[in-house]
Amino acid sequence: MILSPSTLWGVRIVIGRMLGVALSVLAVAGCASTPEPVARFETRLAGYFTQTPLAKGGQESALRVGVGVVPSDRIGAQDESTRLGMIAAVRTALGRARDGASIRPIDDSYLKAGRGVENLRKTGQLFGVDTIVLLSLDRHFQPASESGPVRVSTATGPQDLSLPAQTLLTYIDMVVIDLASGRVTDARQVSSELGVDAKTWGDARLRRRAEADATELALASLRTALAKAWVTGRR
């Protein structure tokens, strides 16, 4: 059957409209699959650098390594036990993974926020290391009125987590930086989630207890992640 020009034109219009509807549906579906975050925050490690995300792919120096925790003057700054716990987790994993490695803790007074890689190079020279492992720990409380994705800006790019309401998120961000190139040779992000109601969060004593429990969970996750990545792989 041969269709007239007017009929063909009508068919083209119908097909065009159908395609338009289909594309609209796909666009809506795409938006629905990536909902807007209910909360956002930047890790202290990301805030340490003047430009993030950091470039990856540096050549790693294996045996002279410094380990430090990014400090903060904001409310909820790292307490000493938490700082030492993160450094110990890295030292233990590196010590098991690299025979003969010299691993030195770096005092946080040498890690000035916003100074970036150049400051790290000077710090590395002072401590006699070629590679620096930097970590930070941050907390975010998701109140009872909110649940959904939380967007975390890390040193190596954004990460989305789905978080229930009334949850305390404890987030550890870590990078291994080759000082010669200024590039990241490895990066890890681990977190813990702990249910905390508003009453507990509003009570200073109960809140400190919840933060301590959540921190220990996050440190356990860090130790497990490093053991799998470094010790099992035996780099």
Side-chain angles (χ1 to χ4, degrees), residues 27-42:
V28 171
C31 293
S33 64
T34 55
E36 277 299 303
V38 298
R40 304 169 186 261
F41 71 87
E42 180 183 72

Side-chain angles (χ1 to χ4, degrees), residues 39-44 46 74 137-141 150-154 159 161 163 169-171:
R40 304 169 186 261
F41 71 87
E42 180 183 72
T43 68
R44 293 173 185 173
R74 301 196 303 267
L137 182 146
D138 296 270
R139 298 186 182 97
H140 168 77
F141 177 63
V150 174
R151 181 155 298 165
V152 184
S153 296
T154 76
Q159 301 281 338
L161 299 174
L163 203 64
L169 172 69
T170 304
Y171 198 92

Side-chain angles (χ1 to χ4, degrees), residues 107-128:
D107 190 271
D108 58 10
S109 63
Y110 292 93
L111 302 172
K112 304 298 183 183
R115 301 284 181 87
V117 174
E118 284 307 313
N119 180 66
L120 282 185
R121 288 195 176 105
K122 294 177 182 177
T123 301
Q125 291 174 358
L126 182 64
F127 282 82

Side-chain angles (χ1 to χ4, degrees), residues 41-179:
F41 71 87
E42 180 183 72
T43 68
R44 293 173 185 173
L45 185 57
Y48 178 86
F49 298 97
T50 55
Q51 181 177 355
T52 53
L54 298 176
K56 297 182 180 180
Q59 296 298 313
E60 189 166 350
S61 301
L63 295 180
R64 301 197 305 169
V65 183
V67 185
V69 177
V70 175
S72 174
D73 295 327
R74 301 196 303 267
I75 294 173
Q78 307 301 341
D79 57 60
E80 187 65 4
S81 62
T82 300
R83 187 181 78 87
L84 293 176
M86 287 193 281
I87 291 175
V90 173
R91 292 187 72 178
T92 298
L94 280 176
R96 293 174 61 192
R98 302 177 185 176
D99 295 330
S102 170
I103 305 165
R104 302 192 60 181
I106 296 176
D107 190 271
D108 58 10
S109 63
Y110 292 93
L111 302 172
K112 304 298 183 183
R115 301 284 181 87
V117 174
E118 284 307 313
N119 180 66
L120 282 185
R121 288 195 176 105
K122 294 177 182 177
T123 301
Q125 291 174 358
L126 182 64
F127 282 82
V129 298
D130 304 305
T131 299
I132 286 185
V133 182
L134 275 187
L135 306 98
S136 67
L137 182 146
D138 296 270
R139 298 186 182 97
H140 168 77
F141 177 63
Q142 193 87 310
S145 59
E146 295 181 326
S147 64
V150 174
R151 181 155 298 165
V152 184
S153 296
T154 76
T156 51
Q159 301 281 338
D160 283 354
L161 299 174
S162 181
L163 203 64
Q166 298 197 139
T167 300
L168 174 60
L169 172 69
T170 304
Y171 198 92
I172 296 177
D173 193 9
M174 187 199 86
V175 291
V176 182
I177 297 179
D178 168 57
L179 296 179

Side-chain angles (χ1 to χ4, degrees), residues 3-14:
L3 299 178
S4 66
S6 60
T7 302
L8 286 172
W9 178 251
V11 170
R12 291 193 186 101
I13 292 175
V14 171

